[in-house]
Amino acid sequence: MSIADGIAKAAANVVKMEANTMQIFSRNPRGSGYKNYSADEVEKFQKIRKENHFGPLLAHAPYTMNLASAQEKVYEFACMVIREDIARMDALGIENIVFHPGSHTGIGAEAGVKNIIVGLNQAITGNESITVLLETMSGKGTEIGVTFEELKKIRDGVEHPERIGICLDTCHVFSAGYDIVNNLEGVLSEFDRVLGLELLKAIHLNDSMMPFGSHKDRHATIGSGEIGLEALLKVMEHPALRELPFYLETPLDDAGHRDEIQMLKEKLK
């Protein structure tokens, strides 16, 4: 959800959708600009959030940020964005901020991981309340984060691993080759073995337009894709996951998301 029109308005829209949490972009998702909010705007946002008992909120860093890049200007921009947005979202009391680890664009995964670690180290002081989440990725092109092992390497390498968690995207892991349809227990056991389920802080709940193991990132509305409604409901109902916050990133407008939320609530009764 964009907050270009105001973070209080975004929170009010969440209430209208009968949701109890939200994901916002920390700045323009496909650019570099961001809006400074007045004290009045922030107060209204916090009031709506408190009165409606919102769960943990999630900020999403822009897609233009590539913390794995070897190109100087691209990397400097990414370092600036992650540093600024961690501080800005922490000041708003947002519990988590998620980002796509990045693409190594030819320098190799090992070098890309090293760049991500350096970028996170210059951005995280260790004094924040916010948790920085690495997102599981589909593996298109030279993306980093397609395996749980790659995410572990990043977390293990930073100076403040206690401030790093994981956001699992159902579309991405399915496309990456983790079979959450036929072997959800096995996938979660593997996650727990490599990373530890205690590091899982958020779920991006998306169906997939593309087939299993395709390494392509194409979100579908819940139940209309290759994962299917039944498998996604099992994700939501799983004892290790059901208390986590879930965020829809399906290709719908606010009205469509409201309907999707209501449908999921009915199915989960």
Side-chain angles (χ1 to χ4, degrees), residues 12 28 33 41 55 74 78 83 94 127 129 144 152 156 175 180 187 193 215 235 250 256 261 266:
N28 185 333
E41 173 82 0
V74 173
R83 184 175 63 250
I94 306 295
N127 297 317
S129 295
I144 291 172
K152 177 177 170 57
D156 285 352
S175 185
I180 60 172
V187 172
R193 181 186 69 81
H215 297 293
V235 169
T250 50
I261 289 166
E266 287 296 322

Side-chain angles (χ1 to χ4, degrees), residues 100-102 104 109 113 116 134-152 154 169 171-178 195 213-216:
H100 294 180
H104 66 73
V113 166
I116 295 167
L134 307 171
E135 183 166 345
T136 58
M137 302 307 296
S138 64
K140 65 182 179 186
T142 60
E143 274 184 342
I144 291 172
V146 64
T147 66
F148 300 154
E149 285 80 5
E150 280 185 339
L151 298 175
K152 177 177 170 57
I154 297 170
D169 186 302
C171 170
H172 294 175
V173 293
F174 178 78
S175 185
Y178 289 101
L195 285 157
S214 63
H215 297 293
K216 293 181 179 179

Side-chain angles (χ1 to χ4, degrees), residues 64-124:
T64 49
M65 189 186 92
N66 184 5
L67 212 54
S69 178
Q71 297 180 38
E72 185 176 357
K73 288 185 178 179
V74 173
Y75 188 65
E76 287 179 354
F77 171 77
C79 286
M80 175 196 71
V81 168
I82 195 67
R83 184 175 63 250
E84 289 183 352
D85 288 7
I86 286 173
R88 290 174 52 245
M89 296 299 103
D90 194 36
L92 281 173
I94 306 295
E95 286 87 352
N96 300 299
I97 180 169
V98 64
F99 75 102
H100 294 180
S103 297
H104 66 73
T105 63
I107 62 172
E110 184 177 350
V113 166
K114 287 180 179 177
N115 285 347
I116 295 167
I117 290 169
V118 172
L120 288 173
N121 283 342
Q122 61 87 43
I124 301 172

Side-chain angles (χ1 to χ4, degrees), residues 35-87:
K35 181 177 180 181
N36 286 314
Y37 298 106
S38 67
D40 182 60
E41 173 82 0
V42 172
E43 184 180 355
K44 288 178 181 177
F45 159 67
Q46 299 293 6
K47 185 173 185 287
I48 294 170
R49 176 185 179 183
K50 183 177 180 180
E51 288 180 347
N52 291 279
H53 309 289
F54 280 10
L57 305 189
L58 181 60
H60 200 305
Y63 303 125
T64 49
M65 189 186 92
N66 184 5
L67 212 54
S69 178
Q71 297 180 38
E72 185 176 357
K73 288 185 178 179
V74 173
Y75 188 65
E76 287 179 354
F77 171 77
C79 286
M80 175 196 71
V81 168
I82 195 67
R83 184 175 63 250
E84 289 183 352
D85 288 7
I86 286 173

